[in-house]
Amino acid sequence: MPSHVSADHPAAQPPGRGSVEALISQTRRLKGDVDAVRRDTRSDGSDPQERWQRALYDLALHQLNDLDEHLAQLRDGPAPLSAASDDGETPAELRPEPAGVPRGSLLSRVGSAEWNLLTDEAGWSGELYQILGRDPATPALTLDELPSLVLDEDRPRLTTMVTDCLVDARPIDGEFRVVRPDGRVRTVHMMGEPVLGGDGSTASMWAVLRDVSELRRSQHTVRESRDSLQLHRRQTRAEQRLAVELQEAVLPSGRGALRLPHRGPGTLELAARHLPSGNDTLLGGDWYDALELSDGDTLLSVGDLTGHGVGVTSGMTMLLGAVRGMAMAGAQPGHLMSLLNQLLDATVQPALGSAVCCRYRPATRTLTWAQAGHPAPLLYRDGTGCVLSAPDGVLLGATSGAGYGQAELTLEPGDLLLLHTDGLVPGHSGADSLDRLLGLAPRFGTAGTAQDCVRAVVEEFGENGREDEACVLIAMVSEQVSE
């Protein structure tokens, strides 16, 4: 752009062609790398963070395309600004875009103009006519006429920029919106400087005008997606806090032994632990519970409602409350599972769950239990462990009217029961996970309390870093009256 010091000031020499070509090559390599990463980032539009990332990739590519074409113009030099050629034909810069130039590319979005204040003449490039949607055969608008294209609310801004440039020799650098003849509104960024005559007065003004409508839309999309992501994160944190509070409100204390009101021969010594997932956002529907019932029996249960989030934790709270209420009302484990299945089947939001429910009678050391698609309890006796043979039972909420069997066995003093949810053994499942749990028998044999056994589980399999949360509940049959 010419210096405002003097109209006769010699133009700066362009950089060497080789150095510009190197910059163009670097820009195009970077464009290819960004585009490759963008294409590898698949998104269906449902995740706010993925939408924000996609918008940023698009904006980066948009700006790199502009940089590439700016450098190409720098290499090739500006087109002449003459309004007509000597032979009367339409000059090349005023002709329609060549077929090789895509509509909306930078070459059709950057134009230039010069306004001669001494002769009141104006000269526009062909690109500027295209940006403003005007017929190249019509005269270029003067500085006094230019505001007629501008939205009413943006005219004061344009007037201030032009006045500061012409009166105070300040460079122009600002934006305004224009209305094309077809009714479309475009955002134009204008950069310009005054050109001073020999007497120091302003002789003309030269400017570059760029259609930045697509760029501003891309930036708006980035802002919107960023705001949506921040809102999503705030909502997620709030839901997490609510889910944690719900879980802490309904689960018994999981950092120590669980105390039941009555102790005596054949009663259970209990301990449990809730083990979180390595991802703080994956708070789900795992639960454990131990409750002394009104007839002296003890209720033991563990379960897992599928999914994650505050909705699932809320569902788990409802399910656990139903387990306690029905057990207190005298429902036996098999019938209790049938009622839970009906409850989940009738909920507005469909859900699936698994559970084990045990009812223990201290006087006879009898354990009656049922399961719904859940790992069976493990029994450790005399230094060895085994899996209890499971009665029939499908996942809760999977089949309407499903029936659930129940099993019964008599425990011995010193026996140990381990109830757990999936994911207790990180990185292992099925038979492999079961073998590792049964392999704890020697350690359990030397443990003095149920809480020592829970510590052994945590030491063996870790407290953190799981893909999903898990619960473990250990019940040890007392051999003598506690003092």
Side-chain angles (χ1 to χ4, degrees):
M1 182 176 296
S3 167
H4 66 269
V5 175
S6 172
D8 299 324
H9 189 81
Q13 295 301 310
R17 187 179 183 91
S19 59
V20 176
E21 288 286 3
L23 290 174
I24 291 173
S25 297
Q26 293 174 16
T27 301
R28 291 176 179 173
R29 282 196 298 271
L30 182 56
K31 274 199 311 181
D33 292 342
V34 173
D35 189 47
V37 175
R38 172 183 171 274
R39 282 185 278 106
D40 289 341
T41 305
R42 302 184 181 276
S43 172
D44 59 4
S46 61
D47 183 2
Q49 180 157 339
E50 290 179 352
R51 290 200 302 270
W52 171 70
Q53 290 173 339
R54 184 80 176 192
L56 278 180
Y57 283 132
D58 289 342
L59 178 59
L61 284 173
H62 186 103
Q63 293 178 325
L64 285 171
N65 282 329
D66 283 359
L67 176 60
D68 183 12
E69 296 183 29
H70 274 309
L71 291 172
Q73 285 187 332
L74 183 63
R75 176 194 61 195
D76 299 336
L81 290 176
S82 57
S85 62
D86 293 339
D87 57 8
E89 294 183 0
T90 302
E93 69 271 15
L94 300 185
R95 296 172 191 159
E97 292 183 38
V101 178
R103 187 170 185 82
S105 71
L106 183 94
L107 296 177
S108 69
R109 289 186 286 108
V110 177
S112 57
E114 185 170 4
W115 290 275
N116 190 315
L117 304 182
L118 302 180
T119 63
D120 201 26
E121 293 177 337
W124 287 5
S125 70
E127 292 83 6
L128 185 54
Y129 276 98
Q130 292 176 13
I131 290 172
L132 301 179
R134 295 181 60 82
D135 183 356
T138 61
L141 299 183
T142 65
L143 283 176
D144 290 334
E145 298 168 329
L146 185 62
S148 65
L149 304 180
V150 180
L151 286 179
D152 291 345
E153 54 264 39
D154 289 357
R155 286 178 187 173
R157 185 184 312 154
L158 173 62
T159 300
T160 300
M161 289 192 300
V162 172
T163 301
D164 288 346
C165 179
L166 300 182
V167 175
D168 299 326
R170 294 181 184 176
I172 289 178
D173 188 356
E175 293 182 6
F176 51 88
R177 290 166 294 170
V178 299
V179 182
R180 292 164 51 104
D182 58 10
R184 288 189 297 167
V185 176
R186 309 296 292 178
T187 302
V188 176
H189 182 250
M190 183 177 185
M191 296 182 66
E193 289 184 355
V195 180
L196 305 183
D199 61 355
S201 64
T202 302
S204 63
M205 190 183 83
W206 190 88
V208 171
L209 295 95
R210 178 185 176 199
D211 184 348
V212 294
S213 305
E214 283 76 17
L215 177 61
R216 295 297 173 255
R217 275 194 288 270
S218 295
Q219 292 172 333
H220 179 69
T221 300
V222 169
R223 287 193 298 271
E224 279 193 333
S225 60
R226 179 201 60 206
D227 293 344
S228 175
L229 175 60
Q230 291 174 344
L231 175 61
H232 176 73
R233 285 176 171 172
R234 287 195 296 270
Q235 291 174 336
T236 299
R237 286 195 294 268
E239 289 180 356
Q240 267 185 273
R241 287 194 297 270
L242 178 57
V244 169
E245 290 170 2
L246 278 172
Q247 191 179 69
E248 291 177 345
V250 298
L251 295 186
S253 173
R255 284 286 177 180
L258 305 181
R259 304 293 182 183
L260 296 177
H262 300 96
R263 300 299 303 275
T267 58
L268 298 177
E269 179 188 337
L270 302 168
R273 181 74 64 89
H274 173 265
L275 302 170
S277 74
N279 187 338
D280 291 339
T281 64
L282 294 181
L283 190 63
D286 286 43
W287 87 80
Y288 65 88
D289 195 30
L291 179 67
E292 186 169 304
L293 304 175
S294 57
D295 61 1
D297 289 357
T298 299
L299 172 71
L300 305 176
S301 69
V302 296
D304 179 11
L305 199 60
T306 57
H308 301 92
V310 66
V312 172
T313 306
S314 177
M316 177 270 289
T317 303
M318 174 198 69
L319 209 61
L320 180 54
V323 169
R324 290 171 174 171
M326 289 185 284
M328 194 66 77
Q332 292 298 306
H335 182 52
L336 190 151
M337 289 297 181
S338 296
L339 295 174
L340 286 181
N341 184 60
Q342 292 178 32
L343 178 63
L344 277 187
D345 190 47
T347 55
V348 176
Q349 296 294 335
L352 293 175
S354 68
V356 164
C357 181
C358 305
R359 193 176 184 112
Y360 176 73
R361 177 154 296 177
T364 59
R365 297 193 304 276
T366 303
L367 182 78
T368 305
W369 69 284
Q371 63 84 30
H374 198 88
L378 307 182
L379 173 63
Y380 298 84
R381 177 181 292 170
D382 299 329
T384 60
C386 68
V387 185
L388 296 185
S389 181
D392 293 336
V394 298
L395 285 171
L396 299 172
T399 306
S400 298
Y404 293 84
Q406 65 182 34
E408 185 176 298
L409 74 154
T410 301
L411 300 180
E412 301 293 336
D415 281 355
L416 185 145
L417 280 175
L418 186 150
L419 284 67
H420 68 96
T421 59
D422 285 331
L424 181 59
V425 184
H428 299 272
S429 60
D432 188 20
S433 172
L434 183 59
D435 289 342
R436 298 199 62 182
L437 286 170
L438 293 176
L440 292 174
R443 294 192 65 176
F444 288 165
T446 59
T449 65
Q451 183 64 12
D452 290 339
C453 294
V454 168
R455 290 195 191 98
V457 172
V458 175
E459 289 171 3
E460 184 71 20
F461 303 123
E463 185 171 7
N464 301 302
R466 286 170 171 74
E467 293 183 4
D468 202 353
E469 63 180 343
C471 291
V472 57
L473 171 62
I474 287 181
M476 184 181 293
V477 181
S478 300
E479 299 189 60
Q480 59 184 18
V481 180
S482 301
E483 296 181 2

